[in-house]
Amino acid sequence: MDKKLSKAQRTRQFIIETTAPIFNVKGYEGTSMSDITEATGLTKGSIYGNFENKEEVALAAFDHNYGIIKKAITEEIARCRSYQEKLMVYANVYHSFNGHSEFIKGGCPILNTAVEADDTNPPLRGKAASAIQSWRNAIMNLIKAGAASGEFKSDIDLERTALSVIALIEGGVMLSKVTHNHANLDQVLKTVAIIINELKA
Amino acid sequence: MDKKLSKAQRTRQFIIETTAPIFNVKGYEGTSMSDITEATGLTKGSIYGNFENKEEVALAAFDHNYGIIKKAITEEIARCRSYQEKLMVYANVYHSFNGHSEFIKGGCPILNTAVEADDTNPPLRGKAASAIQSWRNAIMNLIKAGAASGEFKSDIDLERTALSVIALIEGGVMLSKVTHNHANLDQVLKTVAIIINELKA
DNA sequence: ATATTTATATACTAAATGGTATATTTACAT
DNA sequence: ATGTAAATATACCATTTAGTATATAAATAT
């Protein structure tokens, strides 16, 4: 009934925000309860009072990290006028995963979660899979809208294009992070730009 | 001096071969010493008699997994006559990471190691980075040779093409593994095929 | 065959793990 | 201001962690 959050709600949010970057850097297995208590300054009692277990913290942390990206992308897309520009937002946002800006510590949480959890943690894997699915659909819808508006061709292989853009971006993030060479992502994003430009009618 | 391996050498090899798929599925942090002793049927004394620590087992396991892929690719490339076919080997081998065949359990070890280790384990990260670098160079050399032979155009952006092919393949593997949908990799590999076909003179 | 090196097993750390029961403190409605 | 409920801390649990010292067994060179 209140607009103000309860103490517990605020603590829960504080735990999520504090641990989200830790999970994204160290992974689910690599992050321990003591990492969580140390980073938050809270005790186990406090953590387990707000979360069922470590996994629930990790799931909430993923949602938080994913939410940050989703929000940034949605806002940026809204600012673009052409569909070509809207599509390029994905490349530009993921561009900022590297180098100075680094607006999410540890890189893309979808990639990190997908690769760690695919064979080991069904709930986390499910969240990453949903994020991918929603991203795929968003790209396909943008291309469809662009085609309907006349900006894009009408015979585009929607799914292949969407999945290829995602694969390029995530693969590029992986490449640049593992080689510590930001230019590797730049190169791959050039290909993304070319693919998007080729959609034009 | 012997052609036959010593008992320790054989045990070491046995440990590597037995644990390599475990590390590739569960990751470095997710794999415990008891996973290793249980899978091998050996005791800790035996493991630590042949390896300095868990990390050294993981590093050897990565080399082993990587060696399997490298060997398969090298042999297949040797069988191809055209450079276009040679380049397509990468896509075809990684195609078999999914579905029935699954010749390496857990997917691509380069991707798995890169994503887990990039921010946390320098030695493992280094091995993954070297693998990427060698892969990039191999693709660039194939394109160069294809251009020299007249099969490919001469104005190809070598590095961008090589990195984009790698990003597509690794991103595609991630997509299909996280969604449990093998068709997602197929779609992305179609784009790889298109890129390679566009290299032709 | 035996001495000696090499490899493996046993039994053990100390520390860290995720998790819990209970005590204490804090927030908040009355 | 106070009683009560909610939130947090304390102290603990059993288990598992990576790793080690030492004993035993097996391989190998002589």
Side-chain angles (χ1 to χ4, degrees):
Chain A
M1 306 107 186
D2 296 319
K3 61 191 300 184
K4 206 189 179 193
L5 297 91
S6 75
K7 187 78 202 300
Q9 284 172 311
R10 274 179 286 133
T11 303
R12 191 185 156 91
Q13 193 57 28
F14 169 70
I15 294 168
I16 292 170
E17 284 168 15
T18 310
T19 60
I22 301 174
F23 277 110
N24 202 42
V25 168
K26 304 181 96 172
Y28 176 68
E29 288 289 340
T31 301
S32 68
M33 285 308 299
S34 46
D35 285 330
I36 296 173
T37 53
E38 274 170 39
T40 55
L42 297 169
T43 58
K44 283 202 190 183
S46 181
I47 307 294
Y48 279 94
N50 290 287
F51 295 90
E52 179 112 6
N53 49 33
K54 178 182 143 184
E55 185 175 88
E56 202 193 303
V57 185
L59 291 168
F62 175 85
D63 286 339
H64 178 75
N65 284 327
Y66 177 52
I68 291 176
I69 301 169
K70 186 142 197 174
K71 183 162 173 283
I73 289 177
T74 304
E75 290 176 356
E76 194 59 30
I77 285 181
R79 281 193 208 99
C80 298
R81 282 170 298 302
S82 72
Y83 287 101
Q84 180 246 1
E85 282 175 301
K86 285 177 189 290
L87 282 171
M88 275 306 295
V89 165
Y90 292 106
N92 295 332
V93 166
Y94 280 80
H95 191 276
S96 63
F97 270 161
N98 269 273
H100 29 73
S101 62
E102 193 170 337
F103 90 110
I104 287 213
K105 236 179 140 188
C108 177
I110 303 175
L111 174 65
N112 295 340
T113 303
V115 171
E116 178 177 10
D118 55 358
D119 289 321
T120 55
N121 192 314
L124 270 175
R125 191 216 113 243
K127 282 201 177 284
S130 298
I132 290 289
Q133 206 67 3
S134 132
W135 188 2
R136 182 197 82 125
N137 292 340
I139 294 180
M140 288 172 65
N141 285 334
L142 280 177
I143 300 177
K144 258 189 272 189
S149 81
E151 182 181 337
F152 294 154
K153 292 182 271 193
S154 55
D155 64 337
I156 294 166
D157 191 336
L158 285 176
E159 193 185 39
R160 182 179 69 75
T161 305
L163 292 172
S164 298
V165 165
I166 296 173
L168 280 166
I169 290 171
E170 296 293 4
V173 170
M174 180 276 284
L175 287 180
S176 66
K177 286 212 74 196
V178 74
T179 59
H180 288 180
N181 186 354
H182 177 254
N184 286 333
L185 178 58
D186 294 337
Q187 291 276 39
V188 174
L189 292 183
K190 265 194 249 169
T191 299
V192 174
I194 290 171
I195 289 177
I196 292 174
N197 278 321
E198 280 172 350
L199 301 177
K200 285 188 195 156
Chain B
M1 308 110 189
D2 296 317
K3 63 191 297 184
K4 206 189 177 190
L5 297 91
S6 74
K7 187 75 207 297
Q9 284 173 311
R10 273 179 286 132
T11 303
R12 189 185 156 91
Q13 193 56 27
F14 169 70
I15 293 168
I16 292 170
E17 284 169 16
T18 310
T19 59
I22 301 174
F23 276 110
N24 202 43
V25 168
K26 306 179 96 174
Y28 176 69
E29 288 290 340
T31 302
S32 67
M33 284 309 298
S34 46
D35 287 329
I36 295 173
T37 53
E38 272 170 39
T40 56
L42 296 168
T43 57
K44 284 203 187 181
S46 182
I47 308 294
Y48 280 95
N50 290 285
F51 294 89
E52 179 112 5
N53 49 35
K54 178 181 143 184
E55 184 175 88
E56 201 193 302
V57 185
L59 291 168
F62 175 85
D63 286 339
H64 178 77
N65 284 328
Y66 177 52
I68 292 176
I69 301 169
K70 187 144 198 174
K71 182 162 174 283
I73 289 177
T74 305
E75 289 176 357
E76 195 60 29
I77 285 181
R79 282 194 208 98
C80 297
R81 285 170 297 302
S82 72
Y83 287 102
Q84 180 247 358
E85 282 174 301
K86 285 176 190 290
L87 281 172
M88 275 306 293
V89 166
Y90 292 106
N92 294 331
V93 166
Y94 280 80
H95 191 275
S96 63
F97 270 161
N98 269 273
H100 28 74
S101 62
E102 193 169 339
F103 89 112
I104 287 212
K105 237 178 137 187
C108 177
I110 303 175
L111 174 65
N112 295 340
T113 304
V115 171
E116 177 177 10
D118 57 358
D119 288 323
T120 56
N121 191 314
L124 270 175
R125 192 217 113 242
K127 282 200 177 287
S130 298
I132 290 289
Q133 205 68 2
S134 132
W135 189 2
R136 182 198 82 126
N137 292 340
I139 295 181
M140 287 173 66
N141 286 332
L142 281 177
I143 300 178
K144 259 190 268 187
S149 81
E151 183 181 337
F152 292 155
K153 293 181 268 190
S154 56
D155 64 335
I156 294 165
D157 190 337
L158 287 174
E159 193 185 41
R160 182 179 68 76
T161 305
L163 292 172
S164 297
V165 165
I166 296 174
L168 278 166
I169 291 172
E170 296 293 5
V173 170
M174 179 276 284
L175 286 180
S176 66
K177 286 213 74 195
V178 75
T179 59
H180 288 180
N181 187 354
H182 176 253
N184 286 334
L185 178 57
D186 294 337
Q187 292 275 39
V188 174
L189 293 183
K190 264 194 250 169
T191 299
V192 173
I194 291 171
I195 288 177
I196 292 174
N197 279 320
E198 280 173 352
L199 301 178
K200 286 189 194 156

